[in-house]
Amino acid sequence: PFGLAAGYIGLQSYPVDAFTVFSLQGIFIASIALASFKALNYLQLYTHQQPLNYSFLFSYSWRNVLILFLSHWFILLLALILSLWGVLFSAIGIDFFLELYVKDWFFIPLLCVAVGFAILHFKQLQQFIDNITRLLHGLAKSLLPLLFVFALAFLTTLPFVGLQTLWSTGNGTSLLLSLLALSLLLTNMVYQDGQSIEFYSRLVHRGIAAGLFVLPVIAGLAVYGLSLRVNQHGWSVERGWAALITALLTITAAGYAAGVLKRRDAWPTYLARVNAVMGAAFL
C-alpha cells in the first residue's frame, strides 16, 4: 500500500516541476511516518507474542519515541563530525571529503546505515530509556494540574469576552486543538495504563477528573469554530485535515469523560480501553 500511495503521489507531479506537489509530499511523509509508528507498536506485541494490552503498547510507544529522538541526535552529531572533517581537510587544500559528503549516492546510504546503527544501539539501553520515561512522567505530573487550571480559567473567561474575539485571531480552532491535544498527552503520560493511580492527593485527583469534563467542551468549541470556517469559506485540504484531527481528539476526550462517569475515582483504569481502541482508529 505504501508503494501504491507513493506511485500515486509521483503521478500527480508529472511532468516534473510543472505542478507544486510539496504539500502532497509532506502529507505523504507525515502520514506514513505516523502510521508506521502506530503499526510498529502492534507489530512488537505480535513478535513478542504478547496479548493486546495497553500497558505493553504504552511501554513500546514511549521507548520507540525516545529511541527515535536519540537516534536523530546521533545523526546530527555524526553530520557535525563529517562537516568538521571535510572543512578541516579543505582548509589544507584537500576538497575530496567535502565534495564526497554532499553526493546523494554517498550521503543517503550513510544516513540509512547510521540510523540503523543508532536504533540498534539505543534498543540495548532499555534501562536508560525507561529512566528517561520516568523523568518525563515526573515532569508531566507537575504540569497536568497546572494545565487544567489554565484550561478552566480560559473557559471561564470566554463568556465575558465572547467567542468572536477568539475567532478573530484567525487561528482560534488551532489553539483549541493544541490545548486539547496537550491535555490528552499529559493525562496519558501521568496515568499511563491506569493500573496505579496514587500520583496525587485525593483532592487533586478528583480535580483532574473534573478537568476531563472540560476537554469535551474545548472539543465542542473547536468543532464549532471549524464549522464556521467551512460555512464561510468552504472546504479545503487544510480544513479536511483539521476535521479529521478534530474528530479523533473529540472522540478521545469524550471517552475520557465517559470513564469518569463509569468508574468514578478509578477512571484511569478506563484510559487503557479508550486508548487501545483509538490507537487502532488512528492507524
Side-chain angles (χ1 to χ4, degrees), residues 70-247:
L70 293 172
S71 297
H72 276 76
W73 274 103
F74 176 83
I75 296 303
L76 289 175
L77 291 175
L78 176 63
L80 179 62
I81 292 174
L82 292 178
S83 299
L84 180 61
W85 185 350
V87 171
L88 285 175
F89 274 90
S90 179
I92 58 175
I94 303 176
D95 297 327
F96 171 77
F97 295 105
L98 196 60
E99 295 174 356
L100 176 65
Y101 294 156
V102 298
K103 300 293 185 180
D104 289 344
W105 59 266
F106 177 83
F107 176 75
I108 294 177
L110 175 65
L111 180 64
C112 294
V113 172
V115 169
F117 172 80
I119 291 175
L120 289 175
H121 175 71
F122 288 117
K123 281 187 66 177
Q124 298 174 2
L125 304 178
Q126 181 173 321
Q127 184 175 358
F128 172 71
I129 298 296
D130 290 342
N131 288 336
I132 297 179
T133 303
R134 283 190 286 270
L135 173 63
L136 294 176
H137 174 265
L139 295 175
K141 178 183 174 182
S142 302
L143 293 174
L144 181 60
L146 183 63
L147 181 63
F148 277 128
V149 169
F150 285 165
L152 182 59
F154 174 74
L155 291 180
T156 305
T157 306
L158 274 182
F160 299 99
V161 300
L163 288 175
Q164 187 57 40
T165 304
L166 177 62
W167 306 140
S168 63
T169 62
N171 59 351
T173 302
S174 300
L175 293 174
L176 291 172
L177 290 177
S178 299
L179 176 60
L180 180 59
L182 184 59
S183 300
L184 294 173
L185 175 64
L186 289 182
T187 302
N188 270 284
M189 291 179 64
V190 171
Y191 288 97
Q192 300 180 11
D193 58 358
Q195 298 303 313
S196 177
I197 61 176
E198 301 300 328
F199 301 125
Y200 302 108
S201 65
R202 182 176 296 272
L203 179 62
V204 175
H205 177 70
R206 290 182 174 177
I208 293 175
L212 292 180
F213 286 104
V214 174
L215 300 185
V217 177
I218 296 174
L221 291 174
V223 171
Y224 176 68
L226 180 60
S227 64
L228 287 179
R229 285 291 180 181
V230 172
N231 291 333
Q232 292 171 354
H233 306 288
W235 283 100
S236 65
V237 175
E238 290 77 11
R239 295 187 189 100
W241 280 107
L244 177 62
I245 295 171
T246 302

